[in-house]
PDB file of all heavy atoms in Angstrom:
ATOM      1  N   PHE A   5      -1.355  10.954   0.062  1.00  0.00           N
ATOM      2  CA  PHE A   5      -2.599  11.581   0.550  1.00  0.00           C
ATOM      3  C   PHE A   5      -3.322  12.395  -0.517  1.00  0.00           C
ATOM      4  O   PHE A   5      -4.587  12.446  -0.474  1.00  0.00           O
ATOM      5  CB  PHE A   5      -2.172  12.540   1.760  1.00  0.00           C
ATOM      6  CG  PHE A   5      -1.893  11.751   2.931  1.00  0.00           C
ATOM      7  CD1 PHE A   5      -0.561  11.386   3.448  1.00  0.00           C
ATOM      8  CD2 PHE A   5      -2.973  11.365   3.861  1.00  0.00           C
ATOM      9  CE1 PHE A   5      -0.320  10.688   4.541  1.00  0.00           C
ATOM     10  CE2 PHE A   5      -2.696  10.756   5.048  1.00  0.00           C
ATOM     11  CZ  PHE A   5      -1.439  10.371   5.318  1.00  0.00           C
ATOM     12  N   TYR A  23       4.203  12.247   7.892  1.00  0.00           N
ATOM     13  CA  TYR A  23       3.442  11.078   7.421  1.00  0.00           C
ATOM     14  C   TYR A  23       3.816  10.946   5.878  1.00  0.00           C
ATOM     15  O   TYR A  23       3.477  11.814   5.032  1.00  0.00           O
ATOM     16  CB  TYR A  23       1.974  11.200   7.527  1.00  0.00           C
ATOM     17  CG  TYR A  23       1.385  11.575   8.849  1.00  0.00           C
ATOM     18  CD1 TYR A  23       0.155  12.042   9.003  1.00  0.00           C
ATOM     19  CD2 TYR A  23       2.280  11.476  10.044  1.00  0.00           C
ATOM     20  CE1 TYR A  23      -0.339  12.324  10.204  1.00  0.00           C
ATOM     21  CE2 TYR A  23       1.674  11.770  11.315  1.00  0.00           C
ATOM     22  CZ  TYR A  23       0.426  12.280  11.317  1.00  0.00           C
ATOM     23  OH  TYR A  23      -0.071  12.539  12.672  1.00  0.00           O
ATOM     24  N   GLU A  25       2.961   8.097   4.064  1.00  0.00           N
ATOM     25  CA  GLU A  25       1.763   7.477   3.347  1.00  0.00           C
ATOM     26  C   GLU A  25       0.631   7.252   4.274  1.00  0.00           C
ATOM     27  O   GLU A  25       0.794   7.113   5.463  1.00  0.00           O
ATOM     28  CB  GLU A  25       2.177   6.139   2.632  1.00  0.00           C
ATOM     29  CG  GLU A  25       2.692   5.091   3.589  1.00  0.00           C
ATOM     30  CD  GLU A  25       3.100   3.901   2.874  1.00  0.00           C
ATOM     31  OE1 GLU A  25       4.051   3.942   2.016  1.00  0.00           O
ATOM     32  OE2 GLU A  25       2.318   2.866   3.073  1.00  0.00           O
ATOM     33  N   PRO A  26      -0.552   7.102   3.712  1.00  0.00           N
ATOM     34  CA  PRO A  26      -1.745   6.965   4.589  1.00  0.00           C
ATOM     35  C   PRO A  26      -1.741   5.624   5.245  1.00  0.00           C
ATOM     36  O   PRO A  26      -1.220   4.729   4.631  1.00  0.00           O
ATOM     37  CB  PRO A  26      -2.979   7.053   3.643  1.00  0.00           C
ATOM     38  CG  PRO A  26      -2.464   7.564   2.319  1.00  0.00           C
ATOM     39  CD  PRO A  26      -0.906   7.303   2.301  1.00  0.00           C
ATOM     40  N   THR A  27      -2.216   5.460   6.457  1.00  0.00           N
ATOM     41  CA  THR A  27      -2.386   4.230   7.083  1.00  0.00           C
ATOM     42  C   THR A  27      -3.602   3.545   6.445  1.00  0.00           C
ATOM     43  O   THR A  27      -4.447   4.225   5.754  1.00  0.00           O
ATOM     44  CB  THR A  27      -2.658   4.408   8.630  1.00  0.00           C
ATOM     45  OG1 THR A  27      -3.885   5.075   8.858  1.00  0.00           O
ATOM     46  CG2 THR A  27      -1.507   5.176   9.304  1.00  0.00           C
ATOM     47  N   GLN A  30      -6.870   5.281   7.026  1.00  0.00           N
ATOM     48  CA  GLN A  30      -6.915   6.554   6.321  1.00  0.00           C
ATOM     49  C   GLN A  30      -7.238   6.317   4.814  1.00  0.00           C
ATOM     50  O   GLN A  30      -8.078   7.029   4.220  1.00  0.00           O
ATOM     51  CB  GLN A  30      -5.681   7.249   6.544  1.00  0.00           C
ATOM     52  CG  GLN A  30      -5.420   7.753   7.853  1.00  0.00           C
ATOM     53  CD  GLN A  30      -4.007   8.299   8.312  1.00  0.00           C
ATOM     54  OE1 GLN A  30      -3.137   8.116   7.479  1.00  0.00           O
ATOM     55  NE2 GLN A  30      -3.851   8.672   9.460  1.00  0.00           N
ATOM     56  N   GLN A  48      -8.897   0.966  15.909  1.00  0.00           N
ATOM     57  CA  GLN A  48      -8.699   1.238  17.272  1.00  0.00           C
ATOM     58  C   GLN A  48      -7.546   2.301  17.282  1.00  0.00           C
ATOM     59  O   GLN A  48      -6.952   2.678  16.339  1.00  0.00           O
ATOM     60  CB  GLN A  48      -8.030  -0.019  18.019  1.00  0.00           C
ATOM     61  CG  GLN A  48      -6.825  -0.495  17.399  1.00  0.00           C
ATOM     62  CD  GLN A  48      -6.703  -2.050  17.530  1.00  0.00           C
ATOM     63  OE1 GLN A  48      -7.709  -2.887  17.458  1.00  0.00           O
ATOM     64  NE2 GLN A  48      -5.507  -2.490  17.726  1.00  0.00           N
ATOM     65  N   THR A  49      -7.250   2.743  18.561  1.00  0.00           N
ATOM     66  CA  THR A  49      -6.192   3.817  18.690  1.00  0.00           C
ATOM     67  C   THR A  49      -4.831   3.228  18.095  1.00  0.00           C
ATOM     68  O   THR A  49      -4.584   1.955  18.260  1.00  0.00           O
ATOM     69  CB  THR A  49      -6.010   4.011  20.215  1.00  0.00           C
ATOM     70  OG1 THR A  49      -7.174   4.593  20.692  1.00  0.00           O
ATOM     71  CG2 THR A  49      -4.892   5.041  20.482  1.00  0.00           C
ATOM     72  N   GLY A  50      -4.133   3.987  17.463  1.00  0.00           N
ATOM     73  CA  GLY A  50      -2.851   3.618  17.069  1.00  0.00           C
ATOM     74  C   GLY A  50      -2.983   3.300  15.407  1.00  0.00           C
ATOM     75  O   GLY A  50      -1.877   3.123  14.833  1.00  0.00           O
ATOM     76  N   THR A  51      -3.995   3.328  14.932  1.00  0.00           N
ATOM     77  CA  THR A  51      -4.214   3.026  13.490  1.00  0.00           C
ATOM     78  C   THR A  51      -4.088   4.299  12.620  1.00  0.00           C
ATOM     79  O   THR A  51      -4.228   4.169  11.398  1.00  0.00           O
ATOM     80  CB  THR A  51      -5.573   2.346  13.213  1.00  0.00           C
ATOM     81  OG1 THR A  51      -6.582   3.187  13.782  1.00  0.00           O
ATOM     82  CG2 THR A  51      -5.680   1.009  13.852  1.00  0.00           C
ATOM     83  N   GLY A  52      -4.163   5.425  13.264  1.00  0.00           N
ATOM     84  CA  GLY A  52      -4.195   6.685  12.578  1.00  0.00           C
ATOM     85  C   GLY A  52      -5.623   7.076  12.182  1.00  0.00           C
ATOM     86  O   GLY A  52      -5.917   7.962  11.395  1.00  0.00           O
ATOM     87  N   LYS A  53      -6.531   6.634  13.104  1.00  0.00           N
ATOM     88  CA  LYS A  53      -7.981   6.803  12.839  1.00  0.00           C
ATOM     89  C   LYS A  53      -8.315   8.333  13.051  1.00  0.00           C
ATOM     90  O   LYS A  53      -9.139   8.841  12.353  1.00  0.00           O
ATOM     91  CB  LYS A  53      -8.846   5.973  13.689  1.00  0.00           C
ATOM     92  CG  LYS A  53      -8.856   6.321  15.182  1.00  0.00           C
ATOM     93  CD  LYS A  53      -9.673   5.314  15.850  1.00  0.00           C
ATOM     94  CE  LYS A  53      -9.448   5.378  17.388  1.00  0.00           C
ATOM     95  NZ  LYS A  53      -9.825   6.626  18.075  1.00  0.00           N
ATOM     96  N   THR A  54      -7.608   8.925  13.925  1.00  0.00           N
ATOM     97  CA  THR A  54      -7.904  10.406  14.184  1.00  0.00           C
ATOM     98  C   THR A  54      -7.783  11.296  12.954  1.00  0.00           C
ATOM     99  O   THR A  54      -8.693  12.052  12.521  1.00  0.00           O
ATOM    100  CB  THR A  54      -7.142  10.974  15.392  1.00  0.00           C
ATOM    101  OG1 THR A  54      -7.188  10.035  16.411  1.00  0.00           O
ATOM    102  CG2 THR A  54      -7.615  12.365  15.780  1.00  0.00           C
ATOM    103  N   ALA A  55      -6.642  11.173  12.402  1.00  0.00           N
ATOM    104  CA  ALA A  55      -6.359  11.814  11.162  1.00  0.00           C
ATOM    105  C   ALA A  55      -7.340  11.300  10.082  1.00  0.00           C
ATOM    106  O   ALA A  55      -7.848  12.048   9.198  1.00  0.00           O
ATOM    107  CB  ALA A  55      -5.014  11.550  10.591  1.00  0.00           C
ATOM    108  N   TYR A 104      -3.957  19.759  12.119  1.00  0.00           N
ATOM    109  CA  TYR A 104      -4.408  19.467  10.708  1.00  0.00           C
ATOM    110  C   TYR A 104      -5.043  20.633  10.133  1.00  0.00           C
ATOM    111  O   TYR A 104      -4.889  20.807   8.900  1.00  0.00           O
ATOM    112  CB  TYR A 104      -5.160  18.159  10.567  1.00  0.00           C
ATOM    113  CG  TYR A 104      -4.456  16.951  11.095  1.00  0.00           C
ATOM    114  CD1 TYR A 104      -5.182  16.054  11.872  1.00  0.00           C
ATOM    115  CD2 TYR A 104      -3.197  16.730  10.971  1.00  0.00           C
ATOM    116  CE1 TYR A 104      -4.673  14.840  12.385  1.00  0.00           C
ATOM    117  CE2 TYR A 104      -2.538  15.568  11.402  1.00  0.00           C
ATOM    118  CZ  TYR A 104      -3.310  14.645  12.170  1.00  0.00           C
ATOM    119  OH  TYR A 104      -2.803  13.482  12.675  1.00  0.00           O
ATOM    120  N   GLU A 318      -0.521   4.629  24.276  1.00  0.00           N
ATOM    121  CA  GLU A 318      -0.253   3.925  23.080  1.00  0.00           C
ATOM    122  C   GLU A 318       1.132   3.950  22.691  1.00  0.00           C
ATOM    123  O   GLU A 318       2.038   4.477  23.451  1.00  0.00           O
ATOM    124  CB  GLU A 318      -1.094   4.463  21.996  1.00  0.00           C
ATOM    125  CG  GLU A 318      -0.907   6.035  21.842  1.00  0.00           C
ATOM    126  CD  GLU A 318      -2.077   6.704  21.123  1.00  0.00           C
ATOM    127  OE1 GLU A 318      -3.174   6.499  21.605  1.00  0.00           O
ATOM    128  OE2 GLU A 318      -1.860   7.256  20.237  1.00  0.00           O
ATOM    129  N   ARG A 344       2.570   1.528  16.593  1.00  0.00           N
ATOM    130  CA  ARG A 344       1.663   2.415  15.775  1.00  0.00           C
ATOM    131  C   ARG A 344       2.493   2.733  14.624  1.00  0.00           C
ATOM    132  O   ARG A 344       3.751   2.469  14.576  1.00  0.00           O
ATOM    133  CB  ARG A 344       1.188   3.586  16.556  1.00  0.00           C
ATOM    134  CG  ARG A 344       2.447   4.365  16.962  1.00  0.00           C
ATOM    135  CD  ARG A 344       2.210   5.726  17.295  1.00  0.00           C
ATOM    136  NE  ARG A 344       1.217   6.000  18.118  1.00  0.00           N
ATOM    137  CZ  ARG A 344       1.043   7.168  18.711  1.00  0.00           C
ATOM    138  NH1 ARG A 344       1.871   8.110  18.616  1.00  0.00           N
ATOM    139  NH2 ARG A 344      -0.135   7.407  19.416  1.00  0.00           N
ATOM    140  N   ALA A 345       1.819   3.416  13.753  1.00  0.00           N
ATOM    141  CA  ALA A 345       2.563   3.892  12.439  1.00  0.00           C
ATOM    142  C   ALA A 345       3.964   4.278  12.722  1.00  0.00           C
ATOM    143  O   ALA A 345       4.211   5.140  13.471  1.00  0.00           O
ATOM    144  CB  ALA A 345       1.666   5.022  11.769  1.00  0.00           C
TER     145      ALA A 345
HETATM  146  P1  LIG B 501      -4.548   7.474  16.166  1.00  0.00           P
HETATM  147  O1  LIG B 501      -4.849   6.067  15.913  1.00  0.00           O
HETATM  148  O2  LIG B 501      -5.449   8.537  15.604  1.00  0.00           O
HETATM  149  O3  LIG B 501      -4.453   7.621  17.690  1.00  0.00           O
HETATM  150  O4  LIG B 501      -3.072   7.876  15.663  1.00  0.00           O
HETATM  151  C1  LIG B 501      -1.942   7.255  16.045  1.00  0.00           C
HETATM  152  C2  LIG B 501      -0.756   8.040  15.814  1.00  0.00           C
HETATM  153  O5  LIG B 501      -0.307   7.775  14.382  1.00  0.00           O
HETATM  154  C3  LIG B 501      -0.792   9.550  16.036  1.00  0.00           C
HETATM  155  O6  LIG B 501       0.208   9.970  16.864  1.00  0.00           O
HETATM  156  C4  LIG B 501      -0.534  10.129  14.649  1.00  0.00           C
HETATM  157  O7  LIG B 501       0.214  11.279  14.687  1.00  0.00           O
HETATM  158  C5  LIG B 501       0.112   8.970  13.850  1.00  0.00           C
HETATM  159  N1  LIG B 501      -0.215   8.978  12.482  1.00  0.00           N
HETATM  160  C6  LIG B 501      -1.457   9.194  11.874  1.00  0.00           C
HETATM  161  N2  LIG B 501      -1.366   8.987  10.643  1.00  0.00           N
HETATM  162  C7  LIG B 501      -0.131   8.604  10.212  1.00  0.00           C
HETATM  163  C8  LIG B 501       0.612   8.376   9.004  1.00  0.00           C
HETATM  164  N3  LIG B 501      -0.200   8.310   7.929  1.00  0.00           N
HETATM  165  N4  LIG B 501       1.871   8.110   9.044  1.00  0.00           N
HETATM  166  C9  LIG B 501       2.493   8.007  10.203  1.00  0.00           C
HETATM  167  N5  LIG B 501       1.985   8.321  11.516  1.00  0.00           N
HETATM  168  C10 LIG B 501       0.707   8.581  11.480  1.00  0.00           C
END
Side-chain angles (χ1 to χ4, degrees):
F5 282 95
Y23 306 166
E25 61 181 65
T27 66
Q30 292 163 0
Q48 63 209 37
T49 298
T51 54
K53 68 181 166 70
T54 312
Y104 301 139
E318 52 199 58
R344 60 160 45 166

